[in-house]
Amino acid sequence: MKNLMLVLTVLFSVNQTITFAQSTETFFNDSNSFFKSYVSNGKVDYKAIVANPEALNNLMKQAQSIKISEKDAAVFQSFWINAYNISVIKGIVDEFPINSPLDKKGFFDKATYELAGQKITLNDIENKMLRAKFKDARFHFVLVCGAKGCPPLIAEAYRPSTLEKQLETQTVKALNNDLFIKASGKKVAVSEIFKWYKEDFVRDGNEVDFLNKYRSNKIDAGAKLSYYTYDWRLNSK
């Protein structure tokens, strides 16, 4: 009897693992199709989503019951990055037409979404699920807040098998973009992201050291850093 119970327990555990893997894979595949359909050149076609919200609503429904563990860091991070970007779009679509995510009071810190079995805000996804657990500044270049001031949203999902390459690629693109990092001689103006989350960019030096880690044209080590005003206008297509 004990052996039978052990076998049944093992089979249940294996079945649950397979089910969870299938559900996350479906979520990543459907997210990929969604981004490909509605995102281009970093802009989101909110009007088209409003007119045909089934794909977005299906993704939100899938994300409600997905079970993930931070022990599998790549799956965990990929899920929460996609969930954040999709939830931003959901928040905007629910209020559309709006000119900025800030038009909705509490957009980032009050509005909640049912994701992975819990109610959670966008700020909690960013700060508790990702930044606090993994200490990776590159998250700031893949989490897209729905505004023009953000690094652009890509037209594909983040996946466990490609996550490291995607994080690196988007960081390199952002930090070599002259519109995002405005360097001139001994002066460099950067997004207010670097002010709001300064601690993330100075773990191994200062902000210029972080920038130069990814830039092809290095910034002078003694450059004076300033922050230009964040553009909160909607990243609408």
Side-chain angles (χ1 to χ4, degrees), residues 81-119:
I81 292 168
N82 290 317
Y84 181 96
N85 291 336
I86 291 166
S87 296
V88 167
I89 293 173
K90 174 64 173 173
I92 291 169
V93 165
D94 285 350
E95 300 295 321
F96 201 80
I98 57 175
N99 297 314
S100 166
L102 296 186
D103 287 352
K104 179 179 178 179
K105 187 176 181 180
F107 186 89
F108 294 102
D109 62 349
K110 300 296 182 185
T112 59
Y113 302 88
E114 293 188 30
L115 303 168
Q118 60 185 300
K119 287 188 175 182

Side-chain angles (χ1 to χ4, degrees), residues 38-55:
Y38 296 107
V39 178
S40 62
N41 298 318
K43 303 293 179 64
V44 181
D45 193 346
Y46 294 107
K47 289 182 180 180
I49 300 171
V50 169
N52 186 24
E54 286 79 12

Side-chain angles (χ1 to χ4, degrees), residues 138-166:
R138 296 177 301 173
F139 291 138
H140 296 294
F141 308 106
V142 299
L143 297 173
V144 182
C145 68
K148 290 184 176 181
C150 302
L153 185 63
I154 60 174
E156 63 186 50
Y158 290 90
R159 297 176 182 267
S161 61
T162 55
L163 179 62
E164 176 60 29
K165 182 179 180 181
Q166 290 171 310

